[in-house]
Amino acid sequence: MRVLVVEDDAELGRAVVSGLQTVGFAVDAAGHIGDADLKIAVNSYDCLVVDRGLPDGDGLDLVRRLRAAGARTPVLMLTAMDAVPDRLAGFDGGADDYLVKPFVFEELAARVRALCRRAEQPRPPVSVVGDVEIDTARRRVRRAGVLLTLTVKEFAVLELLTARAGRVVPRADLIECCWDEMAEPMSNVVDAVIAQLRRKLGPPALIGTVRGVGFVIGADEATGAP
């Protein structure tokens, strides 16, 4: 899941971005509304975390414009404006949630996760592909009953492949959904994580390569995995 954090406090912004990345999100950052507009225009996000007091205006104005344009991306307002009228204005302006600073990071992460789930197509909490079980709620993976230890990035890639089991997932989709904007599209970051996943999953091969396109799980193409 990919999140955009719009926050002008550089130290707080770095902390929020780092924390969300640690718990499994791909995160981009913007320090003002103009930068956020550019990133939203070129990327697809599962959730926006938006401050109100930004250098070039009120973050709520950004949300109002997005809603007026028909955008349905979930928005969490993260702001020090804690008066009841401010909160009501946030919801009336199109925000889906409103969290006041200072805040506990675990609560922020839980709220972002809930908003991302709201935007997703419903799917079972435990997905099964062959003898592999992916528990998305507990973030656990088992193969043939054996618990595997995966990194955050490995789990994110496996989760996306499983959500599209039997269909080829283009490399660009993996980068967009599992990495942030700093990932170089032509680098081998995807190949490196896929190789680690194949090693940890063990034989028989479960993840296949469709050369020049992307990767697939749970299909005959897996027999062609290098």
Side-chain angles (χ1 to χ4, degrees):
M1 293 176 281
R2 190 167 185 177
V3 177
L4 175 64
V5 175
V6 188
E7 171 61 61
D8 65 319
D9 183 321
E11 184 176 354
L12 177 59
R14 285 193 297 269
V16 172
V17 168
S18 176
L20 290 175
Q21 289 174 334
T22 299
V23 296
F25 294 98
V27 189
D28 296 338
H32 51 81
I33 293 174
D35 192 16
D37 278 331
L38 178 60
K39 294 179 188 297
I40 291 168
V42 300
N43 298 306
S44 295
Y45 293 104
D46 298 290
C47 182
L48 308 179
V49 178
V50 183
D51 186 16
R52 290 198 60 176
L54 295 166
D56 51 349
D58 188 339
L60 185 55
D61 291 335
L62 167 65
V63 178
R64 290 192 181 105
R65 284 195 291 102
L66 291 172
R67 295 297 185 242
R72 301 177 63 184
T73 307
V75 175
L76 168 67
M77 303 303 301
L78 184 64
T79 174
M81 300 174 67
D82 60 350
V84 171
D86 293 326
R87 300 186 194 207
L88 294 177
F91 287 116
D92 289 342
D96 299 274
D97 202 353
Y98 199 102
L99 184 60
V100 174
K101 303 173 184 175
F103 57 91
V104 176
F105 174 76
E106 288 77 9
E107 181 181 2
L108 170 65
R111 287 173 182 257
V112 170
R113 193 175 295 114
L115 289 176
C116 288
R117 283 200 304 267
R118 187 182 302 175
E120 284 183 326
Q121 292 295 325
R123 64 175 187 257
V126 178
S127 301
V128 179
V129 179
D131 60 351
V132 176
E133 294 183 0
I134 300 95
D135 186 334
T136 56
R138 297 182 179 180
R139 305 189 71 79
R140 293 177 180 174
V141 177
R142 296 178 184 272
R143 182 160 203 188
V146 178
L147 183 65
L148 307 179
T149 301
L150 302 185
T151 67
V152 169
K153 198 66 68 182
E154 290 164 358
F155 186 92
V157 169
L158 182 61
E159 184 179 20
L160 181 58
L161 290 173
T162 302
R164 303 186 192 179
R167 293 177 288 161
V168 178
V169 180
R171 182 186 302 270
D173 285 11
L174 286 167
I175 289 178
E176 179 176 345
C177 295
C178 302
W179 276 267
D180 57 31
E181 63 185 348
M182 301 307 293
E184 170 55 54
M186 300 306 293
S187 72
N188 67 344
V189 291
V190 175
D191 301 271
V193 171
I194 291 290
Q196 293 165 0
L197 270 175
R198 285 172 171 154
R199 178 177 59 80
K200 291 183 178 181
L201 289 169
L206 189 69
I207 301 173
T209 300
V210 179
R211 297 190 184 281
V213 182
F215 303 91
V216 62
I217 194 171
D220 293 341
E221 287 90 340
T223 59

